[in-house]
Amino acid sequence: MPKAKSKLVPRPPKVIYPSGCKELSEELNKEELVKRLKNLAKVFTEVGQDDNDDYVGLALFLASDFFLSHPSKDVRLLVACCIADIFRIFAPEAPYTHPGQLKEIFLFLVQQLRGLQDPEAPLFKRYFYLLENLAWVKSFNICIELDENQEIFCSLFKMVFSIINDKHQAKVKNFMLDMMCPLITEADAVSQELLDIILINIIEPHKSQNKEAYNLARDLIRRTSNAIEPYIQAFFNNSLVLGKRSESEVSGHIYRLIYELNNIQPSVLLAVLPQLEFKLKSNDENERKSVTKLLARMFSDPNSDLASQNKPLWLCYLGRFNDISVAVRTICVAHSQHFLVNQPLLIKDVTEMLQQRTHDKEESVRCEVVQTILAAAKKDLNCVSTELLECVKERTLDKMSKVRSSALMGLAQIYKNIMKMPDATPDQVTKVAWIRNKVLHTYYQNNVEDRILVEKILNTSLVPYSAEPEERMKTLFYLYAQLDEHAVKALNELLKYQYSIRCTVRQLLELHRCADTEERAKAMLPKINQLARCLREPTKAQDHLKKFNQILVKDIRIRQLLSKLLSGECTCKAAEIHVKEIMTKMGTSNTLYSVKVLLERIAPLLIDRVAISALMKFVDDAVRGLGEITDELRNASEAGMKLLMTLSFVFPGAFHTETAFEYLITFLRHEDETVAELTLQIFANTGQGLQEDFPNIYSSLLPVLQSMVKIGTPRQAKHAIKCIAVLCKNKEAIFGQVFEHLKRSLDFESANFETALVSIGHIAQLCPQEFAVDLKGIVARFIVKEVLMQDRSEPLDNEDSWCPDHMVSDETIAKIQGMKLIMRWLLGLKSNQSNLGISTLRMLHTNIAHEGDLMERGKVNKPEMARLRLAAGSCILKLVQESCYAELITHEQFQGLAVLINDPCYEVRVRFAQKLHRGLMNLRLPLQYLAILSLAGQEPVKEFKAQIKQFLIGNINKRREYMKQHSAAQAKTYSLLPEYVLPYTIHLLAHDSDFESYEDKPVLLNLRDCLLFVMDPLIKSDNHTFNFYKKLFDAIKQTADAQEPKDEDTNKKLYAVCDLAIDILMSKAPHFILKDYPANPMLPSKLFTAPNLNVNTKVYLPKDFPLLNKKKASMQAIPVSPKLTAATDTKNNTGIKVSARENKPNNAMKSPGKTKEGTKGRKTNTVTEESKRSESRSPRKSDRKENEKVQNKTSTKLHSPARQKQTKLTDFATKRTKNDKQNLRQSPRKGKDAPLTPTKTSSKSSSQLVNGGRLQSANKTTPVKSKFVGKSPQRRDSDRKRIDNESGGSPSPAKRFKTSPIKGTRQVVKNLSPVLSSGSSSDKSGIAVRSSPRKRQAGEKSLNKKPLPIKRTRMARGSQNSTDEDNIIPSPSSTNSSVSPRKQSKVVTDMPKKAYPIRSNVRRSASIPNGTSDGEEEGTPETVAVTSMSPKKRAAALAKAIETVGTEEEEEELNIKRRIRKRKR
């Protein structure tokens, strides 16, 4: 039977149904079929695994296509449940043996499991039963043996991940995992497709889109980690090492996948992490960026221990902080905040890296460091170390504004957060306490952006303007009381600067109320410019403000809002509303930003009348010692009063309430003298209109003020007098009432003697004429004779140089106050009536000269003498701030005053320097007093010396900035421009008391230190004024000392100091080529006489004096050109301007730092005494008119292509003098220097020729009779050689020319004098000029100095000193001949008009006589060709020859390069 059966087709087994179940057939309708399947499914749930033999046929029948493809969802679900039970009943075997059938069945089951998606569906319980059955029995494990099992698994996993959601209970998820996990752990392999289906759910965007799918995938990986690890490892190995990528979405997210797997199950990456170390060192920047970002996240995650487990990888990651790529370094820095917050064990390593990156050269990296540290501090201040906060503090001074602003804003926000925390610990408060000081210290920067930022931080973080008035004022009080000294000054300056801006805007509004005229428009422009300078990008801001000003003209409402904003009655809330309304009316115009910043700076966002009343209450509690403020703050009362005093100056209208004045009267009666003094100053600031508006307050205040003037302390009396002057309309009458009482107190025995002296002095300053008679008697009979000239008490033994204030005797105090009384009276008079000013200055000078002991009786001890001479010096500084007294001071008095900065007492030096600096910064002291700071070059205390250096630099910058901002200041160039301090400095140093001989080497060394002290900041601040300085020093050497003009030793000392200055100048510019400065310097006639007739070229320093500039020849003088002298100035024979008054306006003079572009490219070199002995050739007759056009304009060289030699043109310059009949000097004898005779020359730029001592007009030119004219080139050459032999020969070429600061180059003075027929030339300024013989070129070679490359220059069109004649291309025949543009060479036609290229190493004003240049062989084909040309062709050839060629060594170098290029080609 078995064999028979095998040959026949097997019959399907008989379908047997369980008892109670009806037969299933295809003929049944849906309802009946569902009913019978439900019954069958119910029975199958109760069937055990032992009764499975009878149901094979039923199992096969249920798996037929009829049921699996039935259109009814219910039928398919019931069939699926039945099949699932069949798998349970027949487990571990299945009744289905055909692989295809099994595949179809399991795909059917997967499809039915999709019904689990909606837990609220009616059939969900059956779907859940299906899932539970399949998971419990592990039915899908049967598929492991199938060849196509991965398709089933992929379908199953994909379906499960797609249907799971947050509505599913935990048991549903667990059954899903139970069903899926065995398919991985027990399978022989896991396909890449299945792995992708799992992994795609753990990365973005799938992770965020379906978090339950992510959780399921996470749990699945954790359960199957051991089984899935090899497949994950193989996947990453293919991707990272071999570069193979799958086609799934996962392949593009390798590093995200690694990060997620590390979070889920780090063990699966044990073999992958070493590969990342190699990726960190990849040459591909994008790979390094991706891996760096990945590892940063992996290392910085909370509870991550990857760094401790994989130390090499961690160290490799730290190395990326120093990566060459900016993007990689930025990534490392950006993720550092997570390390600081989440990884306490790694903070040390990360801190070291961040400290290094704070000095990164890239702005973006430094900015990222700041933001990272601040972000971490905002999350948790405790996780950020003090070192990191110091890094941020350092970045507040970064050179880039973006970094600075990030640091300041972040620190301010941290400070605000900590101060607002009610539970902030003392350690946290202490940790951020320095921030308030640091923010305000930034206001010392000159950058407008930084200042605007500090103001914004003050209003938003330090003292939030949005807080209620009481809370806001309390915060302000605490802030002010806890600031350091420098921060308080910065805050005061901030408030005062805002006040100045408000005043400017108020003035602009007042102009709008005037009639619309041209005068109003002109008056508005300076106001707009002034406001633009207080905004970012002043140029753009100026345009924006002009547009805003036009809007103000048309829009009355905006003007009204601005007026309300600037009124003293405007509240903080109203100010905010007004600003918003103005901005709304402005719309979206381009001017919006600038106007917004301006409004923010002028709006009173912190202070109004309500706020001042609240602040008064806090200060009142502090003064009385009540409240918590007194307990928490030290010196709370003094800090509160100083704050009120500052606010009273800035917001005087906010104090104009009865409540505020009542508080002030209470403070005035307080026993604390400091509180009373500050209250008086507040009344002086806010008392305007008090008498009319608050008569009751005025009536109670006036007696108190009068009492303080009579019997108060000296400081109280001083401020009380100022208050009376402000409050009272009839101040003279009130002063008259107290004056009689004060006169009676002028007695040494009176208890109020010092108060009387102070009060009388201030009354005398305010009302000098009203009490003139009484004051004259008091000063002459009492102050001078009884106080200053008498020594009543015996001195106390005290050998110290200074003593505290309380140890100063009453007599010394009286003498100091006596000097101040006289000084104040003179300041009130502002005139030298009855020679009071002269006698007072003489008395004060005598006090200083006698070291503080006026009468020299020896009854004053050293510390009191120091105070007396300091007081005398301070009084002089005060007096000379008035021009009427500045003109009276003598040289000796000024020099005696200057000595105070070198006083033996340190305190005297410090206080005197501070007072001097204050007067200089206010631009009240004349420029002459800036020279006093030069004596600080000998200051022994380094800190004080550095401070004075800052004083000097600050004043230089202040003067330069003032001249830029005020166009009217150009008329006072000589009294404002800091360069003009050098003549005063030189004169002051030349009269140093230790400088007895100009050959005193030790003293000269000290004086050089003083000069260096002044010249360093001047030269560093402007690199374009070397020529001005050189010309200035040479000009001084041509004058005499006006103090002792006939004393030869005095003049020699003056010249020696000039030589020191020249030496310093040359040492500061080793590669500097001297050029002719476009204007002559102005020397003060008070210090220097008119210039001498001769040029002073002698060096007055000792021969063995150690020069800073080793090339002593470069100290040769540059003669001053009379051609450059302005007609409006006093002019001497040599063309040097001497100012009759130091502040005499001169529009022709330009600032040394603002020379025209055309003068920058000029080159004029100095001539040594030896070079003056070289002979010069006279121009040919046919070349004379050509020379008239070419002089002072072009410097040309003919370049011989045959010999490739450097050539030069003979310098022939001609000029026209002012008087044609004026005699010139006779021709000198051969071989000797010509006497230097001065000649006054006209300022006009016209050319003339001189023939044998007769002046010829340019229009009537006559030929110059030269020995060489009319001869052949060969004959001329032989004649020259003969003359050279007769004259004893010229000096050796090595000595003929002075070596310039540039190695290997020569310096030749630009020829500005007529040429004499004898071969020597000179103008009447004493400038001797000769042309170079042909042997000079050979002599230069003997120097054996390789020249450096010389920078090429180009004359700018419209040079200041060039005329039309200077710019004409020279014609060889006549002045009327010209070259047609069509016939000119391309070199000429391509040149800009009046701007021809010149050689920087060729003398200017050179021409070519006979078509032959110096240094060329005569008779060569090139020369003959030029000589035989027509005039027009010669001019064109000459212009074509204007080219820039270097020295012979340079040309040889160029030829070598050309040959190398040819070989390469």
Short mmCIF file of all heavy atoms in Angstrom, two decimals, residues 1228-1264:
data_model
loop_
_atom_site.label_atom_id
_atom_site.label_comp_id
_atom_site.label_asym_id
_atom_site.label_seq_id
_atom_site.Cartn_x
_atom_site.Cartn_y
_atom_site.Cartn_z
N PRO A 1228 82.05 132.34 -7.13
CA PRO A 1228 83.17 131.94 -6.27
C PRO A 1228 84.36 131.48 -7.08
O PRO A 1228 84.25 131.13 -8.25
CB PRO A 1228 82.57 130.79 -5.46
CG PRO A 1228 81.54 130.23 -6.38
CD PRO A 1228 81.00 131.37 -7.17
N ARG A 1229 85.47 131.45 -6.38
CA ARG A 1229 86.67 130.94 -7.03
C ARG A 1229 86.59 129.42 -7.15
O ARG A 1229 85.86 128.76 -6.45
CB ARG A 1229 87.90 131.33 -6.21
CG ARG A 1229 88.18 132.82 -6.24
CD ARG A 1229 89.35 133.15 -5.36
NE ARG A 1229 89.04 132.84 -3.97
CZ ARG A 1229 89.95 132.84 -3.00
NH1 ARG A 1229 91.20 133.13 -3.27
NH2 ARG A 1229 89.60 132.58 -1.77
N LYS A 1230 87.42 128.90 -8.03
CA LYS A 1230 87.42 127.47 -8.28
C LYS A 1230 87.88 126.72 -7.05
O LYS A 1230 88.81 127.12 -6.37
CB LYS A 1230 88.36 127.13 -9.44
CG LYS A 1230 87.95 127.76 -10.76
CD LYS A 1230 88.95 127.40 -11.84
CE LYS A 1230 88.59 128.07 -13.15
NZ LYS A 1230 89.59 127.78 -14.20
N GLY A 1231 87.19 125.60 -6.82
CA GLY A 1231 87.65 124.70 -5.76
C GLY A 1231 87.29 125.14 -4.36
O GLY A 1231 87.69 124.51 -3.40
N LYS A 1232 86.58 126.26 -4.19
CA LYS A 1232 86.22 126.73 -2.86
C LYS A 1232 84.71 126.88 -2.76
O LYS A 1232 84.05 127.14 -3.74
CB LYS A 1232 86.88 128.07 -2.56
CG LYS A 1232 88.40 127.97 -2.44
CD LYS A 1232 88.99 129.29 -2.01
CE LYS A 1232 90.50 129.20 -1.85
NZ LYS A 1232 91.10 130.48 -1.41
N ASP A 1233 84.22 126.78 -1.54
CA ASP A 1233 82.79 126.95 -1.32
C ASP A 1233 82.40 128.40 -1.48
O ASP A 1233 83.14 129.31 -1.08
CB ASP A 1233 82.40 126.49 0.08
CG ASP A 1233 82.55 124.99 0.18
OD1 ASP A 1233 82.56 124.35 -0.88
OD2 ASP A 1233 82.67 124.49 1.32
N ALA A 1234 81.23 128.58 -2.03
CA ALA A 1234 80.72 129.94 -2.19
C ALA A 1234 80.16 130.45 -0.88
O ALA A 1234 79.60 129.70 -0.11
CB ALA A 1234 79.63 129.95 -3.26
N PRO A 1235 80.34 131.74 -0.61
CA PRO A 1235 79.70 132.30 0.60
C PRO A 1235 78.19 132.24 0.47
O PRO A 1235 77.65 132.44 -0.61
CB PRO A 1235 80.20 133.75 0.64
CG PRO A 1235 80.58 134.05 -0.77
CD PRO A 1235 81.08 132.78 -1.38
N LEU A 1236 77.54 131.95 1.58
CA LEU A 1236 76.09 131.77 1.58
C LEU A 1236 75.43 133.11 1.91
O LEU A 1236 75.50 133.57 3.06
CB LEU A 1236 75.69 130.70 2.59
CG LEU A 1236 76.39 129.36 2.36
CD1 LEU A 1236 75.96 128.37 3.43
CD2 LEU A 1236 76.06 128.84 0.99
N THR A 1237 74.83 133.70 0.93
CA THR A 1237 74.20 135.01 1.10
C THR A 1237 72.71 134.86 0.96
O THR A 1237 72.24 134.29 -0.03
CB THR A 1237 74.73 136.00 0.05
OG1 THR A 1237 76.15 136.02 0.11
CG2 THR A 1237 74.16 137.40 0.31
N PRO A 1238 71.94 135.35 1.89
CA PRO A 1238 70.48 135.19 1.81
C PRO A 1238 69.86 136.15 0.81
O PRO A 1238 70.37 137.23 0.58
CB PRO A 1238 70.01 135.49 3.22
CG PRO A 1238 71.04 136.44 3.73
CD PRO A 1238 72.35 136.05 3.11
N THR A 1239 68.74 135.71 0.25
CA THR A 1239 67.98 136.54 -0.68
C THR A 1239 66.51 136.35 -0.42
O THR A 1239 66.06 135.21 -0.31
CB THR A 1239 68.29 136.16 -2.14
OG1 THR A 1239 69.68 136.34 -2.37
CG2 THR A 1239 67.51 137.05 -3.11
N LYS A 1240 65.78 137.40 -0.34
CA LYS A 1240 64.33 137.28 -0.22
C LYS A 1240 63.76 136.86 -1.56
O LYS A 1240 64.07 137.42 -2.59
CB LYS A 1240 63.70 138.60 0.20
CG LYS A 1240 64.00 138.98 1.63
CD LYS A 1240 63.23 140.21 2.02
CE LYS A 1240 63.50 140.58 3.46
NZ LYS A 1240 62.72 141.75 3.88
N THR A 1241 62.91 135.87 -1.53
CA THR A 1241 62.34 135.35 -2.76
C THR A 1241 60.84 135.46 -2.70
O THR A 1241 60.24 135.46 -1.64
CB THR A 1241 62.73 133.88 -2.97
OG1 THR A 1241 62.26 133.15 -1.85
CG2 THR A 1241 64.22 133.71 -3.10
N SER A 1242 60.26 135.52 -3.87
CA SER A 1242 58.81 135.63 -3.96
C SER A 1242 58.18 134.29 -3.72
O SER A 1242 58.80 133.24 -3.94
CB SER A 1242 58.41 136.15 -5.33
OG SER A 1242 57.02 136.09 -5.49
N SER A 1243 56.92 134.28 -3.28
CA SER A 1243 56.19 133.04 -3.07
C SER A 1243 55.64 132.50 -4.36
O SER A 1243 55.03 131.45 -4.39
CB SER A 1243 55.03 133.26 -2.08
OG SER A 1243 54.17 134.23 -2.58
N LYS A 1244 55.75 133.24 -5.45
CA LYS A 1244 55.23 132.75 -6.70
C LYS A 1244 56.14 131.68 -7.26
O LYS A 1244 57.35 131.75 -7.12
CB LYS A 1244 55.10 133.90 -7.70
CG LYS A 1244 54.16 135.01 -7.22
CD LYS A 1244 54.08 136.12 -8.24
CE LYS A 1244 53.16 137.23 -7.77
NZ LYS A 1244 53.08 138.33 -8.72
N SER A 1245 55.56 130.76 -7.98
CA SER A 1245 56.33 129.64 -8.51
C SER A 1245 56.69 129.89 -9.96
O SER A 1245 56.19 129.25 -10.87
CB SER A 1245 55.52 128.34 -8.38
OG SER A 1245 55.23 128.10 -7.06
N SER A 1246 57.54 130.85 -10.24
CA SER A 1246 58.01 131.12 -11.59
C SER A 1246 59.49 130.88 -11.67
O SER A 1246 60.21 131.00 -10.68
CB SER A 1246 57.66 132.54 -12.00
OG SER A 1246 58.23 133.45 -11.09
N SER A 1247 60.01 130.54 -12.83
CA SER A 1247 61.40 130.14 -13.00
C SER A 1247 62.21 131.26 -13.63
O SER A 1247 61.73 131.98 -14.52
CB SER A 1247 61.47 128.89 -13.87
OG SER A 1247 60.71 127.88 -13.29
N GLN A 1248 63.45 131.38 -13.21
CA GLN A 1248 64.35 132.37 -13.76
C GLN A 1248 65.74 131.78 -13.85
O GLN A 1248 66.08 130.85 -13.12
CB GLN A 1248 64.38 133.63 -12.90
CG GLN A 1248 63.06 134.41 -12.91
CD GLN A 1248 63.14 135.61 -12.03
OE1 GLN A 1248 64.02 135.69 -11.21
NE2 GLN A 1248 62.25 136.55 -12.22
N LEU A 1249 66.53 132.36 -14.70
CA LEU A 1249 67.92 131.94 -14.86
C LEU A 1249 68.83 133.10 -14.46
O LEU A 1249 68.48 134.27 -14.60
CB LEU A 1249 68.21 131.51 -16.30
CG LEU A 1249 67.48 130.25 -16.76
CD1 LEU A 1249 67.76 130.01 -18.22
CD2 LEU A 1249 67.90 129.07 -15.93
N VAL A 1250 69.98 132.75 -14.00
CA VAL A 1250 70.95 133.75 -13.56
C VAL A 1250 72.18 133.64 -14.45
O VAL A 1250 72.65 132.53 -14.71
CB VAL A 1250 71.34 133.54 -12.08
CG1 VAL A 1250 72.39 134.51 -11.66
CG2 VAL A 1250 70.10 133.68 -11.24
N ASN A 1251 72.69 134.73 -14.88
CA ASN A 1251 73.88 134.74 -15.73
C ASN A 1251 74.91 135.65 -15.11
O ASN A 1251 74.78 136.87 -15.13
CB ASN A 1251 73.52 135.22 -17.14
CG ASN A 1251 74.74 135.26 -18.04
OD1 ASN A 1251 75.75 134.65 -17.74
ND2 ASN A 1251 74.63 136.00 -19.15
N GLY A 1252 75.95 135.02 -14.55
CA GLY A 1252 77.07 135.81 -14.04
C GLY A 1252 76.69 136.81 -13.00
O GLY A 1252 77.27 137.87 -12.92
N GLY A 1253 75.72 136.54 -12.18
CA GLY A 1253 75.32 137.43 -11.11
C GLY A 1253 74.22 138.38 -11.48
O GLY A 1253 73.77 139.15 -10.67
N ARG A 1254 73.75 138.39 -12.72
CA ARG A 1254 72.62 139.25 -13.12
C ARG A 1254 71.36 138.43 -13.21
O ARG A 1254 71.35 137.36 -13.81
CB ARG A 1254 72.93 139.91 -14.46
CG ARG A 1254 74.04 140.92 -14.37
CD ARG A 1254 74.44 141.37 -15.76
NE ARG A 1254 73.31 141.87 -16.50
CZ ARG A 1254 73.32 142.11 -17.79
NH1 ARG A 1254 74.42 141.92 -18.48
NH2 ARG A 1254 72.23 142.55 -18.40
N LEU A 1255 70.29 138.95 -12.66
CA LEU A 1255 69.01 138.25 -12.64
C LEU A 1255 68.31 138.45 -13.97
O LEU A 1255 68.15 139.56 -14.45
CB LEU A 1255 68.15 138.78 -11.50
CG LEU A 1255 66.84 138.05 -11.26
CD1 LEU A 1255 67.14 136.64 -10.83
CD2 LEU A 1255 66.03 138.77 -10.20
N GLN A 1256 67.87 137.36 -14.61
CA GLN A 1256 67.21 137.42 -15.90
C GLN A 1256 65.75 137.05 -15.74
O GLN A 1256 65.41 136.15 -15.00
CB GLN A 1256 67.90 136.45 -16.88
CG GLN A 1256 69.39 136.72 -17.08
CD GLN A 1256 69.66 138.05 -17.74
OE1 GLN A 1256 68.82 138.54 -18.51
NE2 GLN A 1256 70.80 138.66 -17.44
N SER A 1257 64.91 137.75 -16.47
CA SER A 1257 63.48 137.46 -16.43
C SER A 1257 63.20 136.21 -17.22
O SER A 1257 63.89 135.87 -18.17
CB SER A 1257 62.69 138.63 -17.00
OG SER A 1257 61.33 138.27 -17.13
N ALA A 1258 62.13 135.51 -16.81
CA ALA A 1258 61.77 134.29 -17.51
C ALA A 1258 61.29 134.57 -18.91
O ALA A 1258 61.40 133.74 -19.80
CB ALA A 1258 60.70 133.54 -16.73
N ASN A 1259 60.70 135.75 -19.14
CA ASN A 1259 60.20 136.09 -20.47
C ASN A 1259 61.30 136.56 -21.39
O ASN A 1259 61.16 136.59 -22.61
CB ASN A 1259 59.12 137.17 -20.37
CG ASN A 1259 57.93 136.68 -19.59
OD1 ASN A 1259 57.61 135.50 -19.65
ND2 ASN A 1259 57.26 137.57 -18.87
N LYS A 1260 62.41 137.01 -20.80
CA LYS A 1260 63.54 137.49 -21.61
C LYS A 1260 64.77 136.69 -21.24
O LYS A 1260 65.65 137.15 -20.54
CB LYS A 1260 63.79 138.97 -21.35
CG LYS A 1260 62.60 139.86 -21.72
CD LYS A 1260 62.90 141.31 -21.42
CE LYS A 1260 61.73 142.21 -21.80
NZ LYS A 1260 62.01 143.63 -21.53
N THR A 1261 64.77 135.48 -21.63
CA THR A 1261 65.87 134.59 -21.27
C THR A 1261 67.09 134.90 -22.11
O THR A 1261 67.00 135.12 -23.32
CB THR A 1261 65.46 133.15 -21.49
OG1 THR A 1261 65.09 132.99 -22.85
CG2 THR A 1261 64.29 132.77 -20.60
N THR A 1262 68.23 134.90 -21.46
CA THR A 1262 69.51 135.05 -22.16
C THR A 1262 70.33 133.83 -21.87
O THR A 1262 70.25 133.26 -20.80
CB THR A 1262 70.24 136.31 -21.66
OG1 THR A 1262 70.42 136.20 -20.26
CG2 THR A 1262 69.44 137.56 -21.99
N PRO A 1263 71.15 133.45 -22.79
CA PRO A 1263 71.94 132.23 -22.57
C PRO A 1263 72.92 132.39 -21.44
O PRO A 1263 73.49 133.46 -21.23
CB PRO A 1263 72.64 132.01 -23.92
CG PRO A 1263 72.68 133.37 -24.56
CD PRO A 1263 71.46 134.08 -24.10
N VAL A 1264 73.11 131.34 -20.73
CA VAL A 1264 74.10 131.31 -19.66
C VAL A 1264 75.45 131.03 -20.27
O VAL A 1264 75.63 130.04 -20.99
CB VAL A 1264 73.75 130.22 -18.62
CG1 VAL A 1264 74.82 130.18 -17.56
CG2 VAL A 1264 72.40 130.54 -18.03
#
